[in-house]
Amino acid sequence: MTPQSLLYFACVISLIFGANGQFNRVHLTKLQALDCPEPAITLNIFSGTPNPSWKINKEQLLSMKKMANDALLNSNNKTTLNKLTTRVMGYQGFTISCSAEQSVFIHGLYPLEQLLLRGGRRHLSTSIVVHVKNHLGEVMSDLEDVRDDNANCNHVPIRGPDTVPAYDPSTDDNGCFITKQSENNCYAYGTDIVTNTFPQPGRGSGKKWSFNTCTDMGNASVRDGLVYNGTKLPTAPPEKGHFVALFIWPDTNFHWIRMDSNGYWSHKPGGTAVRNKDNRGLPITDPTKSDFSPWTQYCAYFVAQPSKLQVN
Ligand SMILES: *[C@@H]1O[C@H](CO)[C@@H](O)[C@H](O)[C@H]1NC(C)=O
Ligand SMILES: *[C@@H]1O[C@H](CO)[C@@H](O)[C@H](O)[C@H]1NC(C)=O
Ligand SMILES: *[C@@H]1O[C@H](CO)[C@@H](O)[C@H](O)[C@H]1NC(C)=O
């Protein structure tokens, strides 16, 4: 975080927890005074990571000022325009800002929050849009179409076949490793199950892994239903399911690679895109010979049969 954004963050916090978070005349006056070519919108929603933020232009700011003004006038000058909520987690409101000093917190002004959310759609994941929409209420029914676009990726878990999967991220599990890229990791992709939970070995079967070691991570995955297959490179496909390989970044992190029907291996590092190359850009024929640094420790092969796994 830059010093400016820290200041800004502190400012937002004080606004959120200030005596009056609901949009009122004071906020309106501040909003009308905002003036800069590229105001920033921040959706105040996360606790652990930076909030989503994007830029708007002067015309958009103008229409927001107008909307806020009209909405407040039409409300018989009441200070609030939606139900007061006591939510402390998740959606808190939006911030429109030109600088740390010039920023306005928006909450409790339905029409404007609607407008802000619509404008932010393409910067936000579906789950966030749906969360804010649910918070704001049914008024936002036209946001349903965003949801519909991704509906088949929201009905999790989505399991691949018990045969060896094809390497084709656009069709694999309905393309949901792309649509829901940030919510599915190497374990989801390796086991070929879309969970949208960034699944962790062991968690689905009741006890998440404890240590970033081959034995602990291996045992956690076996509890989830993976079957240990030793350390020798498989040559033929298993009777059911497909092969995965476990790698460890010692004491730090884990990684999974899977074998596809073309005989090559592919993987999905964390929330990044699915790929079929290693760090050197080479196709993966023998995972132990590929470069997956910093996941340098190769552990073993396992058989993953999607229908039999408890992955979450
Ligand atoms: C709201 O208050 C403003 C002045 O503060 C006044 O001009 C306006 O007529 C009022 N609107 C309504 C609907 O009462
Ligand atoms: C499970 O743990 C035991 C004991 O630590 C170890 O011998 C075994 O290799 C582990 N299994 C896997 C699949 O790593
Ligand atoms: C690994 O899987 C193959 C194919 O199913 C099987 O023939 C082999 O015996 C397995 N190896 C181990 C060590 O389980």
Side-chain angles (χ1 to χ4, degrees), residues 119-279:
R121 259 154 81 145
R122 65 194 169 86
H123 305 279
L124 301 166
S125 73
T126 306
S127 59
I128 290 181
V129 172
V130 170
H131 166 90
V132 177
K133 175 196 160 296
N134 287 342
H135 176 82
L136 293 178
E138 291 314 308
V139 210
M140 309 204 61
S141 57
D142 68 330
L143 275 169
E144 290 298 342
D145 58 359
V146 189
R147 200 175 194 166
D148 288 345
D149 287 346
N150 297 318
N152 48 8
C153 290
N154 286 322
H155 297 134
V156 289
I158 300 162
R159 296 170 195 272
D162 278 349
T163 51
V164 183
Y167 177 73
D168 185 359
S170 69
T171 58
D172 191 2
D173 292 2
N174 303 336
C176 298
F177 289 117
I178 296 176
T179 316
K180 296 283 191 176
Q181 181 181 304
S182 62
E183 292 152 61
N184 292 284
N185 58 4
C186 61
Y187 194 49
Y189 182 74
T191 55
D192 203 12
I193 302 177
V194 168
T195 64
N196 299 342
T197 61
F198 229 69
Q200 302 290 309
R203 195 166 65 192
S205 53
K207 185 174 168 281
K208 205 191 89 168
W209 62 271
S210 311
F211 305 104
N212 280 291
T213 59
C214 287
T215 50
D216 191 73
M217 207 60 73
N219 275 305
S221 68
V222 166
R223 291 196 298 274
D224 285 349
L226 279 85
V227 179
Y228 181 74
N229 193 254
T231 53
K232 264 180 52 194
L233 179 66
T235 48
E239 226 170 90
K240 281 185 174 159
H242 59 274
F243 287 111
V244 290
L246 171 62
F247 285 78
I248 293 288
W249 173 356
D251 300 320
T252 307
N253 196 218
F254 58 90
H255 194 40
W256 293 86
I257 321 279
R258 84 175 196 204
M259 193 188 203
D260 298 314
S261 56
N262 58 9
Y264 292 99
W265 296 69
S266 61
H267 59 133
K268 182 178 187 306
T272 67
V274 172
R275 65 204 63 188
N276 57 1
K277 306 276 165 58
D278 74 353
N279 282 338

Side-chain angles (χ1 to χ4, degrees), residues 7-15 26-27 29-31 33-35 39-40 42 44 94-106:
L7 186 65
Y8 171 47
F9 183 64
C11 176
V12 169
I13 286 291
S14 68
L15 281 165
V26 176
H27 294 102
T29 307
K30 278 175 111 175
L31 178 62
L34 279 192
D35 187 21
T42 301
N44 301 289
F94 291 90
T95 307
I96 308 178
S97 63
C98 281
S99 66
E101 296 75 30
Q102 273 211 313
S103 81
V104 187
F105 184 63
I106 312 285

Side-chain angles (χ1 to χ4, degrees), residues 25 73-74 76-77:
R25 294 221 148 265
L73 285 185
N74 290 337
N76 275 331
N77 289 341

